[in-house]
Amino acid sequence: MNRAAFGGTPEDAARLSALGREAAVDLLLDEAERAAAVPLDADLSDLRAEARLKARALEGPSAAAERRRLLDQARDADERRLGAFRGAWFDRMSRGPAPALEKATLFWSQHFTTSRLEVRDGAAVMRQHLLLRRLALGDFRALLHAIARDPAMLEYLDADRNRRGRPNENFAREVMELFVLGLGAYGEADVREAARAFTGWSAEDGRFVFRPRLHDFGSKTVLGRTGAWNGDDVLDVLLEQDAAPRFLARRLLAFYVAPEPSDAFTARIADAFRRNGRRIRPTLRAIFLDPEFDAARGARVSSPAEFAASLARKLPGEPQPGAFLARACDAMGHALFAPPNVKGWEGDDAWIDPSAILLRSRLALTMVEGADADRSGAFRGGALGGATPRRTRAFDVASFLAARGAVDAERAVDALCDHFLAVPVSAASRSALIAYASERLVDGDSLALRGPKAG
């Protein structure tokens, strides 16, 4: 549950454990597939285009100022709408019925990166997210072809600058390096030839547009294959390369299992990807049922989004609003829909420098204690998804421990560690926690907390 989704309570784990390993994996993936088939409601109107049309119709001495006002209002409304959309995604991650789907969508959003800071069209960013969510467990070929024609992706990778006689290589290079093959599996000549195949691909009014007068219809040679290729042809040539299954397998394993998966594990998953016709669901199933999946326990560092969603799922009571969790992740360097560059976030150990650890601790305290615990204001405000945390106490520690019969500090520590941690703490850490708990807990049936800073 921690790795296929965002964790859960011991009761959730018991429900899956009763099914057995294979049935439990199938249940998580069944829930994900059913949810992916249900379209999400979203306002995808082009607010900025509507504002531009109104602005063009203005006349008179005050027209210039009124145009600026209309455009500024549309920009702010677009930001607020995208912020609400992002908060709703965090709500689904932290309390939704199909967390495995949201986890897969998180993976693909970091594999096919696009930044709303450069696209500057909230509707296009939301459409891309809905595309990734809908195809997150489906056919990778269909997903690749769809994302290559996605308006937000085309704008982000400068596809509109790619035209016959003046090819722009940015889109073709990133498709090869980051989406399908990885570094070392292609040459510079392949990039130049592939870029010619993608000439004329563009977007207009939120939809894909092919402009024949800008397309190079000549012969191209890409990875040893020659023909009058267009962009779709090149994508299929890339998928036929032996490097493609290995690259996708390694990327999936780095996200779900460990940053440096073994060559043998990678080869098994690449083979599963091939045998299953490049379908994503059976590839994930092969990962979750592989013996090496368990052996890699505790091998990767969760991202801030995973950390926040997992903590929300494990805390009893009403989770914090998704908009607040999104803002907290911004502060921790994980602003979804705004990656630092086309490669996305560095991840793993980069998530746990001293500043990041402090912010994770502050988030945990804020979620347990309520708004007053965030005295620094680190997780408040912001144009995208700003929200203050709930003021009600999210985690009644005393009731939680009493329900588990934890009537002394030692059993309290064990109950909390069992609930929140996937990897056992060391003997030294356990002793230190017991000593701390002994000072903060009053033994007895109620195991009441001593003082307002009980932690």
Side-chain angles (χ1 to χ4, degrees), residues 56-344:
R56 290 193 196 103
L58 294 174
E59 298 179 356
S62 62
E66 182 63 13
R67 288 190 193 100
R68 285 193 298 271
R69 187 186 68 80
L70 283 173
L71 296 175
D72 288 346
Q73 282 183 339
R75 180 198 61 216
D76 293 344
D78 197 35
E79 289 284 294
R80 288 193 300 272
R81 180 179 59 174
L82 183 56
F85 184 83
R86 193 175 64 148
W89 185 21
F90 269 92
D91 281 333
R92 292 192 298 273
M93 284 191 273
S94 62
R95 69 182 89 173
L101 171 61
E102 310 309 335
K103 187 69 167 280
T105 305
L106 182 63
F107 168 76
W108 292 118
S109 73
Q110 297 179 169
H111 183 80
F112 297 116
T113 54
T114 301
S115 174
R116 60 100 183 171
L117 299 177
E118 296 186 36
V119 174
R120 298 181 182 179
D121 180 351
V125 173
M126 290 189 290
R127 283 194 192 92
Q128 185 185 92
H129 175 85
L130 295 176
L131 166 68
L132 296 177
R133 190 174 190 273
R134 187 177 74 252
L135 301 179
L137 299 176
D139 179 347
F140 178 74
R141 179 182 180 276
L143 175 58
L144 176 65
H145 279 263
I147 201 69
R149 290 168 170 255
D150 176 72
M153 181 63 71
L154 290 167
E155 181 174 349
Y156 184 55
L157 294 181
D158 304 319
D160 58 335
R161 301 180 187 176
N162 190 19
R163 54 194 63 197
R164 184 181 67 244
R166 289 184 294 156
N168 182 292
E169 298 175 5
N170 195 26
F171 186 82
R173 184 180 303 279
E174 305 310 347
V175 167
M176 291 186 181
E177 177 182 341
L178 301 177
F179 298 171
V180 186
L181 299 178
L183 282 171
Y186 60 88
E188 288 302 308
D190 297 313
V191 174
R192 289 193 295 271
E193 294 286 275
R196 293 174 53 213
F198 287 111
T199 51
W201 283 36
S202 187
E204 184 177 326
D205 297 331
R207 60 187 178 85
F208 172 79
V209 174
F210 175 64
R211 305 184 191 281
R213 65 185 180 82
L214 301 180
H215 180 65
D216 184 338
F217 287 92
S219 178
K220 302 106 179 166
T221 299
V222 179
L223 294 165
R225 297 282 304 279
T226 301
W229 308 128
N230 60 29
D232 287 318
D233 296 327
V234 166
L235 293 177
D236 285 336
V237 168
L238 301 184
L239 286 171
E240 292 168 2
Q241 305 304 305
D242 290 340
R246 290 196 303 270
F247 176 73
L248 265 297
R250 187 166 290 276
R251 290 296 297 268
L252 285 166
L253 290 173
F255 180 80
Y256 281 102
V257 185
E260 295 295 335
S262 71
D263 291 341
F265 197 179
T266 303
R268 290 195 298 275
I269 301 308
D271 183 59
F273 182 74
R274 277 190 297 265
R275 283 187 290 103
N276 289 286
R278 304 188 190 97
R279 288 185 297 129
I280 300 161
R281 175 189 165 139
T283 304
L284 291 178
R285 188 177 189 274
I287 291 174
F288 302 149
L289 294 176
D290 193 284
E292 204 166 332
F293 180 77
D294 281 344
R297 186 182 297 266
R300 63 181 293 272
V301 177
S302 62
S303 67
E306 294 171 278
F307 175 77
S310 175
L311 187 56
R313 282 192 174 268
K314 291 176 181 177
L315 281 170
E318 183 70 12
Q320 297 288 354
F324 166 68
L325 298 181
R327 179 61 183 164
C329 289
D330 290 351
M332 293 187 286
H334 197 192
L336 296 188
F337 301 147
N341 52 56
V342 71
K343 293 183 179 180

